[in-house]
């Protein structure tokens, strides 16, 4: 059986590791990043690592 983290689907593996790190307390995840994943998983937007990184690398004082 294939594990989620072995998936070739970049959105799935990225969302999995973000959730894993959040749940373990290793990192904070912004509302914007969660919304990005939800929109991608719902088919409202196409996943793109560069677009996601532009959300996650914003300085904290600039995040909405």
């Amino acid at each position: 059986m294939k594990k989620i983290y072995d998936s070739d689907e970049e959105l799935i593996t990225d969302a999995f590791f973000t959730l894993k790190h959040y749940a373990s307390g290793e990192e904070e995840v912004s509302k914007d990043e969660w919304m990005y994943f939800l929109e991608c998983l719902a088919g409202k937007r196409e996943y793109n690592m560069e677009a996601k990184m532009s959300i996650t690398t914003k300085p904290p004082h600039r995040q909405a």
Side-chain angles (χ1 to χ4, degrees):
M1 183 159 111
K2 194 171 188 176
K3 305 278 188 199
I4 290 175
Y5 49 80
D6 290 331
S7 172
D8 292 331
E9 182 64 43
E10 196 171 33
L11 168 60
I12 300 303
T13 56
D14 193 13
F16 171 79
F17 282 108
T18 298
L19 182 58
K20 184 176 187 261
H21 293 152
Y22 175 77
S24 69
E26 291 178 44
E27 65 182 56
E28 292 292 316
V29 181
S30 71
K31 178 182 175 186
D32 290 342
E33 187 174 358
W34 284 128
M35 293 306 298
Y36 182 80
F37 281 126
L38 288 173
E39 289 172 3
C40 290
L41 291 166
K44 295 179 181 178
R45 136 188 322 214
E46 188 171 329
Y47 179 81
N48 177 287
M49 180 61 84
E50 290 177 16
K52 188 248 178 179
M53 292 305 293
S54 73
I55 292 169
T56 61
T57 58
K58 285 183 190 175
H61 66 280
R62 295 189 65 187
Q63 290 186 358

